[in-house]
Amino acid sequence: RVVWEKTMRVVWLLGVEGLRIATFNVLAPVHKSAGSVREAASEALWGPRARRSVRYISEALRGVEVICLQEFWFDEAWMALFCEGLETYALVSARRSGVHPHDGSRRSDGVATLIRRSAFRVDESRRVELEDGRVGLVVSLRRRDGSSPRLVVANVHLPFPSDAAASASQTAQVSRIARVVDAMSSHSTLGVVAGDFNCCATDPAALALESQGWTNCAAAHAAAELSSGVGGVNDLGVTHRTHTGHFTRCDHLFARDYSPHATQQSGYFDRAGLALASVARCHPSDSVAWDPSFNISDHLPVIAEFAAHPAPCLDRLAPDDLDDAWAPAPFPDTIC
């Protein structure tokens, strides 16, 4: 089992350069109750948690190159805390449109993507208007050292599936985001759609992405682990505890390799420029259980790690082994 909070499976153990991408819903103060008011009512209420959140991101997600945040609050003081506390990252954001249903005020949250300045530069960013005032954010990134692959990352927060219409809206919204990623991608590009899907991996929105050629990173990593002969985990576990106390698994990362000769076998990347090395959720270091007061957030970050993938060494197999159905296949973390 991969347990990020106890032992980060760092890519230099594989002897290759890696790439880490995370998604994390930070629970905007405008959505968090604080007694009879919202936490957003005063800095005295939201300030302590905001500072803990920034500290948590800087420590628990240290080394992650791209972090997709949902429910990012567009309050000037809140934004200043994040920009100052995470100064090694460039921040690109998109605010929702429309009004809050509880008081009719302008929507004040949205999505924000943090990009490690030393690793990537931003070539382009696009705001994608979605139904019900929601917004997606897609960024095209190029490595500072000029190496491949390029990276196109979409950050999305889908609506809660309160009924069949809302579930259909989830599918329509994530499909639209995926089309934008397709349009912004070219050869030698890794595409990623990350965020709070408000649904599990077997619901229509997630399945729609898979039907369009996207790989569910959590499921892919589980397939690779289980196929390796040493066992594995086919469920990341709970990533969100709702205000009603229900537990869900709704934070996802999907990936797609646009390399000319890339193929996806058994649900994970194979014979491509990058391989999926690990996927894990990240617990707060000072907590072994969910804090009912949501001391940091009501979500846990999910991190996907990719590693450079050398070509499979089929020439090292004996000729008879090439036709042997029981011969071990070249898995994504094979080192030749």
Side-chain angles (χ1 to χ4, degrees):
R1 180 186 177 98
V2 176
V3 184
W4 191 279
E5 62 270 23
K6 291 184 178 178
T7 172
M8 292 176 67
R9 184 181 176 183
V10 290
V11 285
W12 51 84
L13 292 179
L14 298 175
V16 293
E17 183 183 1
L19 167 67
R20 289 143 296 232
I21 303 174
T23 181
F24 184 29
N25 183 320
V26 293
L27 181 56
V30 73
H31 296 308
K32 186 179 186 302
S33 297
S36 60
V37 298
R38 300 277 173 161
E39 190 184 68
S42 83
E43 187 170 349
L45 293 174
W46 63 256
R49 187 172 66 88
R51 284 183 280 273
R52 284 194 299 271
S53 297
V54 170
R55 185 165 57 250
Y56 172 58
I57 292 171
S58 64
E59 294 175 356
L61 303 186
R62 182 183 296 115
V64 176
E65 284 83 3
V66 181
I67 305 173
C68 296
L69 304 178
Q70 300 85 46
E71 291 196 23
F72 187 78
W73 194 33
F74 286 79
D75 173 87
E76 289 187 8
W78 164 283
M79 294 180 69
L81 278 176
F82 275 75
C83 290
E84 293 167 8
L86 301 167
E87 61 183 1
T88 59
Y89 289 91
L91 187 148
V92 182
S93 61
R95 181 174 177 169
R96 292 177 63 178
S97 58
V99 298
H100 287 291
H102 60 272
D103 64 4
S105 63
R106 181 190 176 196
R107 287 281 189 184
S108 58
D109 70 303
V111 294
T113 301
L114 300 172
I115 302 108
R116 184 171 291 281
R117 298 179 190 275
S118 61
F120 289 97
R121 62 181 175 86
V122 180
D123 277 353
E124 182 184 1
S125 66
R126 292 189 190 178
R127 173 190 175 94
V128 184
E129 298 289 348
L130 303 172
E131 297 175 20
D132 65 18
R134 290 182 181 269
V135 63
L137 176 65
V138 186
V139 294
S140 175
L141 308 175
R142 191 179 301 272
R143 288 185 180 273
R144 292 283 183 184
D145 61 9
S147 63
S148 295
R150 290 179 58 251
L151 186 61
V152 176
V153 181
N155 185 355
V156 66
H157 185 188
L158 300 181
F160 185 79
S162 55
D163 53 31
S167 179
S169 180
Q170 286 184 332
T171 301
Q173 290 186 25
V174 79
S175 295
R176 182 175 182 187
I177 285 286
R179 288 194 296 271
V180 174
V181 177
D182 287 341
M184 294 175 64
S185 298
S186 60
H187 295 329
S188 300
T189 298
L190 175 68
V192 175
V193 176
D196 177 0
F197 279 49
N198 261 317
C199 67
C200 73
T202 57
D203 284 331
L207 295 179
L209 274 186
E210 290 192 281
S211 71
Q212 296 165 30
W214 290 81
T215 293
N216 182 321
C217 290
H221 177 58
E225 288 282 297
L226 291 169
S227 300
S228 68
V230 297
V233 178
N234 58 14
D235 188 353
L236 283 177
V238 172
T239 64
H240 174 42
R241 179 180 177 177
T242 70
H243 65 284
T244 60
H246 293 94
F247 295 93
T248 65
R249 302 168 182 85
C250 62
D251 300 275
H252 304 293
L253 293 103
F254 285 78
R256 185 172 187 175
D257 193 332
Y258 291 86
S259 300
H261 303 295
T263 60
Q264 294 170 354
Q265 300 175 359
S266 301
Y268 56 88
F269 297 120
D270 194 14
R271 304 176 188 270
L274 284 175
L276 189 59
S278 69
V279 180
R281 61 179 183 173
C282 185
H283 279 294
S285 59
D286 60 348
S287 175
V288 295
W290 288 91
D291 182 348
S293 66
F294 303 137
N295 197 39
I296 293 177
S297 177
D298 54 355
H299 287 253
L300 294 179
V302 177
I303 308 160
E305 182 178 53
F306 300 86
H309 178 39
C313 293
L314 295 179
D315 58 335
R316 297 194 182 184
L317 294 176
D320 290 345
D321 289 336
L322 294 176
D323 298 322
D324 184 355
W326 295 98
F331 289 103
D333 56 353
T334 299
I335 301 300
C336 300

